[in-house]
Amino acid sequence: MPDDADDVMGVITQQIEARFQMSLPELRQAVATAPHANEQATEVVYWHGLLAQAQVALERCEDDLVAVLSQDPVPLDDPVMDLAHRVNAAVTARDGRAMVVRFLLDPAALSKRGPGAWRGATVAAGRGPALQTSAPTRPSTAAGPVRGATR
């Protein structure tokens, strides 16, 4: 039975293959041959590569931590905590890269809809600025004596 990481990588790979209507190895070859032919394909292949690297790094960190935790007795000292922090950092890197790939594959992402895609943007555009944008005028006052001033 595949683990969760294989499931995540498998699902993302399937999404890429469905989007571009070719296998991932074929897409990699097409991007290598003509990287400027489809900028989105080039970006997706690049970020999928980074995602795969992050997954390998995560698996190594997890293996190192499991090896230490399988000792009898289990050492719970600073080096073990450092390994646990490395695993957490590797998970964060992997998940961040997975989010980028999913974003690149999402045709409904906000930034891909063009100007005014955010639902409030069109309303705000008709109102003008929310804050005053010109310098305030200074009140005119006649020069008079200042209380407590000495000459």
Side-chain angles (χ1 to χ4, degrees), residues 7 20 23 31 43 45 49 59 67-68 79-80 106 109 124 128-129 131-132 136:
D7 291 345
F20 293 100
S23 71
V31 165
E43 276 190 289
V45 167
E59 290 169 2
V68 170
V80 175
D106 183 5
L131 300 174
Q132 183 176 1

Side-chain angles (χ1 to χ4, degrees), residues 46-113:
Y46 172 78
W47 280 98
H48 187 271
L50 292 178
L51 172 61
Q53 290 173 0
Q55 181 60 43
V56 169
L58 171 59
E59 290 169 2
R60 286 185 189 141
C61 290
E62 288 174 333
D63 290 345
D64 293 346
L65 182 60
V66 167
V68 170
L69 293 178
S70 64
Q71 295 176 7
D72 190 29
V74 176
L76 293 177
D77 52 6
D78 287 341
V80 175
M81 291 307 295
D82 288 342
L83 283 174
H85 290 300
R86 280 184 37 215
V87 169
N88 284 337
V91 167
T92 301
R94 190 267 324 261
D95 291 351
R97 291 174 181 184
M99 286 189 335
V100 170
V101 173
R102 286 185 178 125
F103 169 79
L104 292 172
L105 294 172
D106 183 5
L110 280 177
S111 67
K112 295 179 182 178
R113 292 189 215 159

Side-chain angles (χ1 to χ4, degrees), residues 12-31 41 44-45 48:
I12 290 175
T13 300
Q14 288 174 352
Q15 291 171 344
I16 292 170
E17 292 173 346
R19 165 63 180 86
F20 293 100
Q21 297 297 305
M22 63 177 66
S23 71
L24 189 58
E26 291 172 332
L27 183 62
R28 281 190 194 121
Q29 181 60 42
V31 165
V44 167
V45 167
H48 187 271

